[in-house]
Amino acid sequence: MKKYFFLMMMLFLSYYYATSQTENEKPNVIVILSDDMGFSDIGCYGGEINTPSLDKLAENGVRFSQYYNAARCCPTRASLLTGVYPHQAGVGFMTGKLGNTPSYQGYIKWGTKTIANYFKDIGYTTIQVGKWHVGNVKNKTMPCDRGFDMSWSPQGKIDYWNTERCYDNGKIRKLKKAEKKYLTDVEGDKALEFIEKARQKGNPFMMYLAFDAAHWPLHAKQEDIEKYRGKFMAGWDELQKERIRKLDSIGLVPYKSPDLINDDAVPGWETISPDDQFPGYHAVTSGSHDQDDWDLKMSVYAAQIDCMDQNIGRIINKLKELEEYENTIIIFLQDNGACGEGIGKNDPNAPGGPGSYLAYGLPWANLSNTPFQMYKHFVHEGGISTPYIFHWPKGLEKERRGIIVDGSFGHLIDIVPTCLDAAGSYDPKSFQSLEGQSLLPVIRGEADNSGRTIFWEHEGNRAIRKGDWKLVSRYVDDYRYYKAW
């Protein structure tokens, strides 16, 4: 009897140890989503902006030349969080209700599981930091209602210098004086704080980190702005040519003539003078000519992205300090293409500081989306294409690091299954409610999905892609919105 008891105890301990080891070996997951950036803004995708943290992740990870979002913030977030198309999640439009169909109710449907729900089910601590925008307190669809253990989200009007309220672990509260600093840095602080707390719990963690950067308004720290002043004086025409050449040389997008992607609404850089301002835009730098005004706008925009990259670097350093870096998956992507809307066209204040509230304008957005056409809101490639970086030192063979995936392509609906697959908890037969597919076989060079079919619809604009073919249909009333920009 004693021998039998001893044997049973040994078997139990062996099972417990093996299970514990398996749990401990599950990777941490960090999904980083930026806001209102173009395809070719960051350094590793051909841009002029200094993004060493993202560049390093790309250098030691995998980049996709073709990856898609849903053309605007709300539907993108709903799709990323659920693994289904935005309409299936209930956010086909924005957060307001549109019509009487559940597809446009404006918040994630009850009964639709989120990435947080899936990861809690397999023993993860779940974290959300940053922009939410897929529900509110009234309809009880805030992060902690939808599966996140820890959450911090700014509330109210987007303002990097004057955020007044936040959603903090289930409650809305006013920010304390010590917290009232630049929003991107606050979001970085919260990410670090929650990583520390998750580590103390002993479980692997899944974090959804949604920076507000680089959404308007153009607010940035002066020291970051100064890094870029004058850097864009070559103008959007010349910089677009440089980006096209760089994208080709990197191997991301083959060379195409600027004439194929130029927007007739964008004036030639050399035509911008003190006497011939871009229609509807107020000069903002006293005593200077308009090209300098435009350079300032792009410099502030670049500074916003630069600061986000700095905070990503802080997170990477924390992971290394905690010895979690090697087994942490970091995914980076953007919620839509660059924004061409004329926000604050007549704002007389110089961008950057708390007194201003404007965007960088259609000409710079056209540069940001190089080498694609159109902008956020549209389902042309410029509105739905995003950089996609997948980094996981422990899960990638050395020969796959630095690889660019071309031919195969991904979509937001693939985030949930890809992350679950990496955690060892994905079987397509058991997750038939998900529309996406795990991209892990593609990332590892074991599969090709270039013949797949995916769909879009946003504000009446719609598209379908099947393999190398894409059909786009623009909503008939959409032209008047574009003209207003």
Side-chain angles (χ1 to χ4, degrees), residues 39 65-69 256 336-338 369 371-376 378-386 454 456 463-465 469-472:
F39 179 80
S65 65
Q66 302 172 84
Y67 202 97
Y68 292 109
N69 51 46
K256 63 173 67 177
N336 44 247
N369 286 335
F372 303 124
Q373 291 180 310
M374 303 302 275
Y375 313 90
K376 165 186 176 179
F378 301 98
V379 293
H380 293 67
E381 294 291 284
I384 57 176
S385 295
T386 172
I454 50 178
W456 295 265
I464 178 173
R465 176 174 174 180
W469 290 90
K470 182 182 175 189
L471 180 67
V472 180

PDB file of all heavy atoms in Angstrom, residues 39 65-69 256 336-338 369 371-376 378-386 454 456 463-465 469-472:
ATOM      1  N   PHE A  39       1.440  53.850 -44.038  1.00  0.00           N
ATOM      2  CA  PHE A  39       2.172  52.610 -44.267  1.00  0.00           C
ATOM      3  C   PHE A  39       3.681  52.794 -44.169  1.00  0.00           C
ATOM      4  O   PHE A  39       4.394  51.932 -43.651  1.00  0.00           O
ATOM      5  CB  PHE A  39       1.799  52.052 -45.648  1.00  0.00           C
ATOM      6  CG  PHE A  39       2.508  50.777 -46.015  1.00  0.00           C
ATOM      7  CD1 PHE A  39       2.062  49.564 -45.524  1.00  0.00           C
ATOM      8  CD2 PHE A  39       3.610  50.792 -46.865  1.00  0.00           C
ATOM      9  CE1 PHE A  39       2.706  48.368 -45.865  1.00  0.00           C
ATOM     10  CE2 PHE A  39       4.263  49.607 -47.209  1.00  0.00           C
ATOM     11  CZ  PHE A  39       3.808  48.395 -46.708  1.00  0.00           C
ATOM     12  N   SER A  65       4.631  42.546 -46.036  1.00  0.00           N
ATOM     13  CA  SER A  65       4.475  43.630 -47.010  1.00  0.00           C
ATOM     14  C   SER A  65       2.999  43.908 -47.272  1.00  0.00           C
ATOM     15  O   SER A  65       2.651  44.969 -47.792  1.00  0.00           O
ATOM     16  CB  SER A  65       5.185  43.281 -48.323  1.00  0.00           C
ATOM     17  OG  SER A  65       4.575  42.160 -48.933  1.00  0.00           O
ATOM     18  N   GLN A  66       2.128  42.941 -46.906  1.00  0.00           N
ATOM     19  CA  GLN A  66       0.692  43.098 -47.121  1.00  0.00           C
ATOM     20  C   GLN A  66      -0.062  42.633 -45.876  1.00  0.00           C
ATOM     21  O   GLN A  66      -0.165  41.427 -45.611  1.00  0.00           O
ATOM     22  CB  GLN A  66       0.234  42.259 -48.320  1.00  0.00           C
ATOM     23  CG  GLN A  66       0.941  42.601 -49.625  1.00  0.00           C
ATOM     24  CD  GLN A  66       0.601  41.616 -50.715  1.00  0.00           C
ATOM     25  OE1 GLN A  66      -0.416  41.749 -51.389  1.00  0.00           O
ATOM     26  NE2 GLN A  66       1.436  40.615 -50.903  1.00  0.00           N
ATOM     27  N   TYR A  67      -0.543  43.611 -45.128  1.00  0.00           N
ATOM     28  CA  TYR A  67      -1.350  43.299 -43.938  1.00  0.00           C
ATOM     29  C   TYR A  67      -2.433  44.368 -43.856  1.00  0.00           C
ATOM     30  O   TYR A  67      -2.191  45.532 -44.176  1.00  0.00           O
ATOM     31  CB  TYR A  67      -0.494  43.297 -42.666  1.00  0.00           C
ATOM     32  CG  TYR A  67      -1.129  42.499 -41.544  1.00  0.00           C
ATOM     33  CD1 TYR A  67      -0.749  41.180 -41.317  1.00  0.00           C
ATOM     34  CD2 TYR A  67      -2.116  43.046 -40.730  1.00  0.00           C
ATOM     35  CE1 TYR A  67      -1.338  40.423 -40.299  1.00  0.00           C
ATOM     36  CE2 TYR A  67      -2.715  42.310 -39.729  1.00  0.00           C
ATOM     37  CZ  TYR A  67      -2.318  41.003 -39.510  1.00  0.00           C
ATOM     38  OH  TYR A  67      -2.905  40.257 -38.514  1.00  0.00           O
ATOM     39  N   TYR A  68      -3.630  43.964 -43.415  1.00  0.00           N
ATOM     40  CA  TYR A  68      -4.777  44.861 -43.542  1.00  0.00           C
ATOM     41  C   TYR A  68      -5.499  45.149 -42.231  1.00  0.00           C
ATOM     42  O   TYR A  68      -5.642  44.274 -41.372  1.00  0.00           O
ATOM     43  CB  TYR A  68      -5.796  44.266 -44.523  1.00  0.00           C
ATOM     44  CG  TYR A  68      -5.307  44.222 -45.948  1.00  0.00           C
ATOM     45  CD1 TYR A  68      -4.989  43.016 -46.558  1.00  0.00           C
ATOM     46  CD2 TYR A  68      -5.159  45.392 -46.687  1.00  0.00           C
ATOM     47  CE1 TYR A  68      -4.553  42.965 -47.878  1.00  0.00           C
ATOM     48  CE2 TYR A  68      -4.714  45.360 -48.007  1.00  0.00           C
ATOM     49  CZ  TYR A  68      -4.417  44.145 -48.595  1.00  0.00           C
ATOM     50  OH  TYR A  68      -3.986  44.107 -49.891  1.00  0.00           O
ATOM     51  N   ASN A  69      -5.975  46.411 -42.116  1.00  0.00           N
ATOM     52  CA  ASN A  69      -6.876  46.799 -41.034  1.00  0.00           C
ATOM     53  C   ASN A  69      -8.258  47.097 -41.627  1.00  0.00           C
ATOM     54  O   ASN A  69      -8.538  46.735 -42.763  1.00  0.00           O
ATOM     55  CB  ASN A  69      -6.302  47.997 -40.258  1.00  0.00           C
ATOM     56  CG  ASN A  69      -5.899  49.140 -41.172  1.00  0.00           C
ATOM     57  OD1 ASN A  69      -6.643  49.522 -42.067  1.00  0.00           O
ATOM     58  ND2 ASN A  69      -4.713  49.683 -40.965  1.00  0.00           N
ATOM     59  N   LYS A 256       7.208  51.730 -58.067  1.00  0.00           N
ATOM     60  CA  LYS A 256       6.114  52.190 -58.937  1.00  0.00           C
ATOM     61  C   LYS A 256       6.266  53.691 -59.125  1.00  0.00           C
ATOM     62  O   LYS A 256       6.739  54.403 -58.230  1.00  0.00           O
ATOM     63  CB  LYS A 256       4.754  51.845 -58.351  1.00  0.00           C
ATOM     64  CG  LYS A 256       4.415  52.487 -57.015  1.00  0.00           C
ATOM     65  CD  LYS A 256       2.968  52.213 -56.616  1.00  0.00           C
ATOM     66  CE  LYS A 256       2.708  50.771 -56.321  1.00  0.00           C
ATOM     67  NZ  LYS A 256       1.319  50.526 -55.855  1.00  0.00           N
ATOM     68  N   ASN A 336      -5.475  52.218 -39.085  1.00  0.00           N
ATOM     69  CA  ASN A 336      -5.941  52.614 -40.422  1.00  0.00           C
ATOM     70  C   ASN A 336      -4.818  53.365 -41.118  1.00  0.00           C
ATOM     71  O   ASN A 336      -3.749  53.583 -40.534  1.00  0.00           O
ATOM     72  CB  ASN A 336      -7.196  53.485 -40.352  1.00  0.00           C
ATOM     73  CG  ASN A 336      -7.171  54.563 -39.293  1.00  0.00           C
ATOM     74  OD1 ASN A 336      -7.944  54.513 -38.329  1.00  0.00           O
ATOM     75  ND2 ASN A 336      -6.287  55.543 -39.428  1.00  0.00           N
ATOM     76  N   GLY A 337      -5.067  53.763 -42.353  1.00  0.00           N
ATOM     77  CA  GLY A 337      -4.077  54.558 -43.054  1.00  0.00           C
ATOM     78  C   GLY A 337      -4.015  55.970 -42.504  1.00  0.00           C
ATOM     79  O   GLY A 337      -4.778  56.349 -41.603  1.00  0.00           O
ATOM     80  N   ALA A 338      -3.104  56.765 -43.036  1.00  0.00           N
ATOM     81  CA  ALA A 338      -2.938  58.149 -42.578  1.00  0.00           C
ATOM     82  C   ALA A 338      -4.205  58.949 -42.819  1.00  0.00           C
ATOM     83  O   ALA A 338      -4.966  58.696 -43.755  1.00  0.00           O
ATOM     84  CB  ALA A 338      -1.758  58.786 -43.298  1.00  0.00           C
ATOM     85  N   ASN A 369       1.092  57.573 -46.703  1.00  0.00           N
ATOM     86  CA  ASN A 369       0.526  56.352 -47.265  1.00  0.00           C
ATOM     87  C   ASN A 369       1.290  55.820 -48.467  1.00  0.00           C
ATOM     88  O   ASN A 369       0.874  54.819 -49.069  1.00  0.00           O
ATOM     89  CB  ASN A 369      -0.941  56.576 -47.652  1.00  0.00           C
ATOM     90  CG  ASN A 369      -1.844  56.635 -46.441  1.00  0.00           C
ATOM     91  OD1 ASN A 369      -1.528  56.082 -45.391  1.00  0.00           O
ATOM     92  ND2 ASN A 369      -2.969  57.313 -46.571  1.00  0.00           N
ATOM     93  N   PRO A 371       3.378  53.624 -50.701  1.00  0.00           N
ATOM     94  CA  PRO A 371       3.127  53.883 -52.112  1.00  0.00           C
ATOM     95  C   PRO A 371       1.676  53.604 -52.537  1.00  0.00           C
ATOM     96  O   PRO A 371       1.445  53.164 -53.677  1.00  0.00           O
ATOM     97  CB  PRO A 371       4.057  52.881 -52.773  1.00  0.00           C
ATOM     98  CG  PRO A 371       3.938  51.666 -51.870  1.00  0.00           C
ATOM     99  CD  PRO A 371       3.739  52.214 -50.475  1.00  0.00           C
ATOM    100  N   PHE A 372       0.726  53.859 -51.646  1.00  0.00           N
ATOM    101  CA  PHE A 372      -0.663  53.514 -51.918  1.00  0.00           C
ATOM    102  C   PHE A 372      -1.547  54.751 -52.066  1.00  0.00           C
ATOM    103  O   PHE A 372      -1.160  55.849 -51.694  1.00  0.00           O
ATOM    104  CB  PHE A 372      -1.212  52.621 -50.803  1.00  0.00           C
ATOM    105  CG  PHE A 372      -0.427  51.359 -50.603  1.00  0.00           C
ATOM    106  CD1 PHE A 372       0.112  51.044 -49.359  1.00  0.00           C
ATOM    107  CD2 PHE A 372      -0.204  50.478 -51.654  1.00  0.00           C
ATOM    108  CE1 PHE A 372       0.851  49.882 -49.173  1.00  0.00           C
ATOM    109  CE2 PHE A 372       0.534  49.323 -51.480  1.00  0.00           C
ATOM    110  CZ  PHE A 372       1.062  49.023 -50.231  1.00  0.00           C
ATOM    111  N   GLN A 373      -2.737  54.541 -52.581  1.00  0.00           N
ATOM    112  CA  GLN A 373      -3.682  55.627 -52.829  1.00  0.00           C
ATOM    113  C   GLN A 373      -4.722  55.741 -51.719  1.00  0.00           C
ATOM    114  O   GLN A 373      -5.106  54.751 -51.113  1.00  0.00           O
ATOM    115  CB  GLN A 373      -4.412  55.392 -54.154  1.00  0.00           C
ATOM    116  CG  GLN A 373      -3.529  55.526 -55.380  1.00  0.00           C
ATOM    117  CD  GLN A 373      -4.316  55.270 -56.658  1.00  0.00           C
ATOM    118  OE1 GLN A 373      -5.019  54.280 -56.767  1.00  0.00           O
ATOM    119  NE2 GLN A 373      -4.205  56.171 -57.605  1.00  0.00           N
ATOM    120  N   MET A 374      -5.177  56.979 -51.528  1.00  0.00           N
ATOM    121  CA  MET A 374      -6.265  57.311 -50.616  1.00  0.00           C
ATOM    122  C   MET A 374      -5.830  57.214 -49.143  1.00  0.00           C
ATOM    123  O   MET A 374      -4.657  57.045 -48.850  1.00  0.00           O
ATOM    124  CB  MET A 374      -7.515  56.498 -50.909  1.00  0.00           C
ATOM    125  CG  MET A 374      -8.021  56.655 -52.343  1.00  0.00           C
ATOM    126  SD  MET A 374      -8.408  58.365 -52.823  1.00  0.00           S
ATOM    127  CE  MET A 374     -10.070  58.509 -52.209  1.00  0.00           C
ATOM    128  N   TYR A 375      -6.823  57.332 -48.234  1.00  0.00           N
ATOM    129  CA  TYR A 375      -6.530  57.605 -46.836  1.00  0.00           C
ATOM    130  C   TYR A 375      -7.451  56.817 -45.907  1.00  0.00           C
ATOM    131  O   TYR A 375      -8.302  56.051 -46.354  1.00  0.00           O
ATOM    132  CB  TYR A 375      -6.729  59.115 -46.577  1.00  0.00           C
ATOM    133  CG  TYR A 375      -6.079  59.973 -47.623  1.00  0.00           C
ATOM    134  CD1 TYR A 375      -6.782  60.367 -48.772  1.00  0.00           C
ATOM    135  CD2 TYR A 375      -4.751  60.370 -47.500  1.00  0.00           C
ATOM    136  CE1 TYR A 375      -6.179  61.146 -49.746  1.00  0.00           C
ATOM    137  CE2 TYR A 375      -4.138  61.148 -48.477  1.00  0.00           C
ATOM    138  CZ  TYR A 375      -4.848  61.536 -49.604  1.00  0.00           C
ATOM    139  OH  TYR A 375      -4.240  62.287 -50.564  1.00  0.00           O
ATOM    140  N   LYS A 376      -7.242  57.028 -44.603  1.00  0.00           N
ATOM    141  CA  LYS A 376      -8.170  56.540 -43.589  1.00  0.00           C
ATOM    142  C   LYS A 376      -9.606  56.798 -44.051  1.00  0.00           C
ATOM    143  O   LYS A 376      -9.883  57.834 -44.651  1.00  0.00           O
ATOM    144  CB  LYS A 376      -7.892  57.302 -42.287  1.00  0.00           C
ATOM    145  CG  LYS A 376      -8.936  57.213 -41.211  1.00  0.00           C
ATOM    146  CD  LYS A 376      -8.570  58.146 -40.070  1.00  0.00           C
ATOM    147  CE  LYS A 376      -9.638  58.190 -38.989  1.00  0.00           C
ATOM    148  NZ  LYS A 376      -9.263  59.079 -37.868  1.00  0.00           N
ATOM    149  N   PHE A 378     -11.229  55.229 -46.364  1.00  0.00           N
ATOM    150  CA  PHE A 378     -11.390  54.562 -47.661  1.00  0.00           C
ATOM    151  C   PHE A 378     -10.891  53.120 -47.586  1.00  0.00           C
ATOM    152  O   PHE A 378     -10.000  52.806 -46.794  1.00  0.00           O
ATOM    153  CB  PHE A 378     -10.627  55.306 -48.751  1.00  0.00           C
ATOM    154  CG  PHE A 378     -11.071  56.732 -48.928  1.00  0.00           C
ATOM    155  CD1 PHE A 378     -10.368  57.767 -48.340  1.00  0.00           C
ATOM    156  CD2 PHE A 378     -12.211  57.040 -49.660  1.00  0.00           C
ATOM    157  CE1 PHE A 378     -10.769  59.088 -48.491  1.00  0.00           C
ATOM    158  CE2 PHE A 378     -12.630  58.351 -49.810  1.00  0.00           C
ATOM    159  CZ  PHE A 378     -11.909  59.378 -49.230  1.00  0.00           C
ATOM    160  N   VAL A 379     -11.426  52.263 -48.461  1.00  0.00           N
ATOM    161  CA  VAL A 379     -10.957  50.880 -48.491  1.00  0.00           C
ATOM    162  C   VAL A 379     -10.019  50.623 -49.672  1.00  0.00           C
ATOM    163  O   VAL A 379      -9.763  49.480 -50.035  1.00  0.00           O
ATOM    164  CB  VAL A 379     -12.141  49.876 -48.471  1.00  0.00           C
ATOM    165  CG1 VAL A 379     -12.865  49.944 -47.140  1.00  0.00           C
ATOM    166  CG2 VAL A 379     -13.103  50.117 -49.625  1.00  0.00           C
ATOM    167  N   HIS A 380      -9.526  51.708 -50.268  1.00  0.00           N
ATOM    168  CA  HIS A 380      -8.384  51.596 -51.175  1.00  0.00           C
ATOM    169  C   HIS A 380      -7.168  51.226 -50.313  1.00  0.00           C
ATOM    170  O   HIS A 380      -7.191  51.362 -49.087  1.00  0.00           O
ATOM    171  CB  HIS A 380      -8.148  52.910 -51.902  1.00  0.00           C
ATOM    172  CG  HIS A 380      -9.247  53.286 -52.855  1.00  0.00           C
ATOM    173  ND1 HIS A 380     -10.514  53.613 -52.426  1.00  0.00           N
ATOM    174  CD2 HIS A 380      -9.262  53.391 -54.217  1.00  0.00           C
ATOM    175  CE1 HIS A 380     -11.271  53.909 -53.474  1.00  0.00           C
ATOM    176  NE2 HIS A 380     -10.542  53.773 -54.576  1.00  0.00           N
ATOM    177  N   GLU A 381      -6.078  50.815 -50.941  1.00  0.00           N
ATOM    178  CA  GLU A 381      -4.935  50.297 -50.177  1.00  0.00           C
ATOM    179  C   GLU A 381      -4.384  51.317 -49.168  1.00  0.00           C
ATOM    180  O   GLU A 381      -3.915  50.942 -48.091  1.00  0.00           O
ATOM    181  CB  GLU A 381      -3.823  49.845 -51.135  1.00  0.00           C
ATOM    182  CG  GLU A 381      -4.189  48.643 -51.995  1.00  0.00           C
ATOM    183  CD  GLU A 381      -4.321  47.362 -51.194  1.00  0.00           C
ATOM    184  OE1 GLU A 381      -3.295  46.782 -50.815  1.00  0.00           O
ATOM    185  OE2 GLU A 381      -5.471  46.940 -50.950  1.00  0.00           O
ATOM    186  N   GLY A 382      -4.424  52.602 -49.513  1.00  0.00           N
ATOM    187  CA  GLY A 382      -3.915  53.609 -48.585  1.00  0.00           C
ATOM    188  C   GLY A 382      -4.708  53.709 -47.302  1.00  0.00           C
ATOM    189  O   GLY A 382      -4.189  54.142 -46.270  1.00  0.00           O
ATOM    190  N   GLY A 383      -5.977  53.306 -47.332  1.00  0.00           N
ATOM    191  CA  GLY A 383      -6.807  53.375 -46.143  1.00  0.00           C
ATOM    192  C   GLY A 383      -6.735  52.160 -45.258  1.00  0.00           C
ATOM    193  O   GLY A 383      -7.040  52.232 -44.060  1.00  0.00           O
ATOM    194  N   ILE A 384      -6.319  51.006 -45.817  1.00  0.00           N
ATOM    195  CA  ILE A 384      -6.404  49.739 -45.081  1.00  0.00           C
ATOM    196  C   ILE A 384      -5.082  49.003 -44.923  1.00  0.00           C
ATOM    197  O   ILE A 384      -5.030  47.960 -44.269  1.00  0.00           O
ATOM    198  CB  ILE A 384      -7.417  48.787 -45.760  1.00  0.00           C
ATOM    199  CG1 ILE A 384      -7.036  48.542 -47.218  1.00  0.00           C
ATOM    200  CG2 ILE A 384      -8.830  49.344 -45.651  1.00  0.00           C
ATOM    201  CD1 ILE A 384      -7.929  47.548 -47.943  1.00  0.00           C
ATOM    202  N   SER A 385      -3.996  49.535 -45.482  1.00  0.00           N
ATOM    203  CA  SER A 385      -2.703  48.847 -45.392  1.00  0.00           C
ATOM    204  C   SER A 385      -1.947  49.290 -44.149  1.00  0.00           C
ATOM    205  O   SER A 385      -1.890  50.471 -43.833  1.00  0.00           O
ATOM    206  CB  SER A 385      -1.851  49.136 -46.631  1.00  0.00           C
ATOM    207  OG  SER A 385      -2.444  48.590 -47.785  1.00  0.00           O
ATOM    208  N   THR A 386      -1.346  48.339 -43.470  1.00  0.00           N
ATOM    209  CA  THR A 386      -0.592  48.643 -42.265  1.00  0.00           C
ATOM    210  C   THR A 386       0.735  47.892 -42.244  1.00  0.00           C
ATOM    211  O   THR A 386       0.815  46.759 -42.725  1.00  0.00           O
ATOM    212  CB  THR A 386      -1.387  48.253 -41.000  1.00  0.00           C
ATOM    213  OG1 THR A 386      -0.542  48.398 -39.843  1.00  0.00           O
ATOM    214  CG2 THR A 386      -1.883  46.828 -41.051  1.00  0.00           C
ATOM    215  N   ILE A 454     -10.679  38.007 -48.410  1.00  0.00           N
ATOM    216  CA  ILE A 454     -11.036  38.843 -47.264  1.00  0.00           C
ATOM    217  C   ILE A 454     -11.902  40.013 -47.733  1.00  0.00           C
ATOM    218  O   ILE A 454     -11.944  40.329 -48.933  1.00  0.00           O
ATOM    219  CB  ILE A 454      -9.791  39.362 -46.502  1.00  0.00           C
ATOM    220  CG1 ILE A 454      -8.788  40.001 -47.467  1.00  0.00           C
ATOM    221  CG2 ILE A 454      -9.127  38.264 -45.711  1.00  0.00           C
ATOM    222  CD1 ILE A 454      -7.565  40.572 -46.780  1.00  0.00           C
ATOM    223  N   TRP A 456     -14.116  44.010 -46.822  1.00  0.00           N
ATOM    224  CA  TRP A 456     -14.217  45.277 -46.106  1.00  0.00           C
ATOM    225  C   TRP A 456     -15.548  45.956 -46.425  1.00  0.00           C
ATOM    226  O   TRP A 456     -16.079  45.812 -47.527  1.00  0.00           O
ATOM    227  CB  TRP A 456     -13.127  46.264 -46.535  1.00  0.00           C
ATOM    228  CG  TRP A 456     -11.742  45.872 -46.226  1.00  0.00           C
ATOM    229  CD1 TRP A 456     -10.997  46.220 -45.136  1.00  0.00           C
ATOM    230  CD2 TRP A 456     -10.876  45.061 -47.046  1.00  0.00           C
ATOM    231  NE1 TRP A 456      -9.736  45.673 -45.207  1.00  0.00           N
ATOM    232  CE2 TRP A 456      -9.640  44.952 -46.372  1.00  0.00           C
ATOM    233  CE3 TRP A 456     -11.052  44.406 -48.267  1.00  0.00           C
ATOM    234  CZ2 TRP A 456      -8.580  44.227 -46.896  1.00  0.00           C
ATOM    235  CZ3 TRP A 456      -9.996  43.674 -48.779  1.00  0.00           C
ATOM    236  CH2 TRP A 456      -8.773  43.595 -48.097  1.00  0.00           C
ATOM    237  N   ALA A 463     -14.981  46.584 -50.325  1.00  0.00           N
ATOM    238  CA  ALA A 463     -13.980  45.924 -51.164  1.00  0.00           C
ATOM    239  C   ALA A 463     -13.909  44.445 -50.825  1.00  0.00           C
ATOM    240  O   ALA A 463     -14.295  44.010 -49.733  1.00  0.00           O
ATOM    241  CB  ALA A 463     -12.610  46.566 -50.957  1.00  0.00           C
ATOM    242  N   ILE A 464     -13.409  43.683 -51.775  1.00  0.00           N
ATOM    243  CA  ILE A 464     -13.127  42.267 -51.580  1.00  0.00           C
ATOM    244  C   ILE A 464     -11.792  41.974 -52.250  1.00  0.00           C
ATOM    245  O   ILE A 464     -11.508  42.489 -53.339  1.00  0.00           O
ATOM    246  CB  ILE A 464     -14.250  41.367 -52.158  1.00  0.00           C
ATOM    247  CG1 ILE A 464     -13.899  39.893 -51.992  1.00  0.00           C
ATOM    248  CG2 ILE A 464     -14.541  41.708 -53.612  1.00  0.00           C
ATOM    249  CD1 ILE A 464     -15.039  38.957 -52.386  1.00  0.00           C
ATOM    250  N   ARG A 465     -10.963  41.185 -51.586  1.00  0.00           N
ATOM    251  CA  ARG A 465      -9.721  40.727 -52.207  1.00  0.00           C
ATOM    252  C   ARG A 465      -9.717  39.208 -52.216  1.00  0.00           C
ATOM    253  O   ARG A 465      -9.976  38.570 -51.200  1.00  0.00           O
ATOM    254  CB  ARG A 465      -8.489  41.233 -51.452  1.00  0.00           C
ATOM    255  CG  ARG A 465      -7.210  40.657 -52.063  1.00  0.00           C
ATOM    256  CD  ARG A 465      -5.924  41.193 -51.492  1.00  0.00           C
ATOM    257  NE  ARG A 465      -4.803  40.468 -52.065  1.00  0.00           N
ATOM    258  CZ  ARG A 465      -3.523  40.686 -51.791  1.00  0.00           C
ATOM    259  NH1 ARG A 465      -3.195  41.647 -50.942  1.00  0.00           N
ATOM    260  NH2 ARG A 465      -2.575  39.970 -52.358  1.00  0.00           N
ATOM    261  N   TRP A 469      -6.369  39.532 -56.833  1.00  0.00           N
ATOM    262  CA  TRP A 469      -7.392  40.416 -57.378  1.00  0.00           C
ATOM    263  C   TRP A 469      -8.123  41.147 -56.257  1.00  0.00           C
ATOM    264  O   TRP A 469      -8.432  40.578 -55.217  1.00  0.00           O
ATOM    265  CB  TRP A 469      -8.408  39.612 -58.201  1.00  0.00           C
ATOM    266  CG  TRP A 469      -7.820  39.085 -59.482  1.00  0.00           C
ATOM    267  CD1 TRP A 469      -7.203  37.886 -59.658  1.00  0.00           C
ATOM    268  CD2 TRP A 469      -7.762  39.761 -60.736  1.00  0.00           C
ATOM    269  NE1 TRP A 469      -6.772  37.764 -60.959  1.00  0.00           N
ATOM    270  CE2 TRP A 469      -7.103  38.895 -61.647  1.00  0.00           C
ATOM    271  CE3 TRP A 469      -8.207  40.997 -61.199  1.00  0.00           C
ATOM    272  CZ2 TRP A 469      -6.880  39.235 -62.980  1.00  0.00           C
ATOM    273  CZ3 TRP A 469      -7.991  41.343 -62.523  1.00  0.00           C
ATOM    274  CH2 TRP A 469      -7.335  40.470 -63.402  1.00  0.00           C
ATOM    275  N   LYS A 470      -8.417  42.421 -56.515  1.00  0.00           N
ATOM    276  CA  LYS A 470      -9.174  43.208 -55.550  1.00  0.00           C
ATOM    277  C   LYS A 470     -10.209  44.043 -56.299  1.00  0.00           C
ATOM    278  O   LYS A 470      -9.915  44.667 -57.318  1.00  0.00           O
ATOM    279  CB  LYS A 470      -8.253  44.136 -54.753  1.00  0.00           C
ATOM    280  CG  LYS A 470      -8.991  44.949 -53.693  1.00  0.00           C
ATOM    281  CD  LYS A 470      -8.042  45.894 -52.973  1.00  0.00           C
ATOM    282  CE  LYS A 470      -8.819  46.777 -52.013  1.00  0.00           C
ATOM    283  NZ  LYS A 470      -7.989  47.850 -51.455  1.00  0.00           N
ATOM    284  N   LEU A 471     -11.435  44.056 -55.751  1.00  0.00           N
ATOM    285  CA  LEU A 471     -12.526  44.852 -56.303  1.00  0.00           C
ATOM    286  C   LEU A 471     -12.907  45.901 -55.269  1.00  0.00           C
ATOM    287  O   LEU A 471     -13.149  45.580 -54.112  1.00  0.00           O
ATOM    288  CB  LEU A 471     -13.727  43.947 -56.601  1.00  0.00           C
ATOM    289  CG  LEU A 471     -14.977  44.614 -57.197  1.00  0.00           C
ATOM    290  CD1 LEU A 471     -14.687  45.126 -58.607  1.00  0.00           C
ATOM    291  CD2 LEU A 471     -16.135  43.617 -57.218  1.00  0.00           C
ATOM    292  N   VAL A 472     -12.945  47.169 -55.678  1.00  0.00           N
ATOM    293  CA  VAL A 472     -13.266  48.273 -54.773  1.00  0.00           C
ATOM    294  C   VAL A 472     -14.484  49.015 -55.297  1.00  0.00           C
ATOM    295  O   VAL A 472     -14.585  49.307 -56.491  1.00  0.00           O
ATOM    296  CB  VAL A 472     -12.083  49.266 -54.661  1.00  0.00           C
ATOM    297  CG1 VAL A 472     -12.425  50.402 -53.715  1.00  0.00           C
ATOM    298  CG2 VAL A 472     -10.832  48.556 -54.197  1.00  0.00           C
TER     299      VAL A 472
END
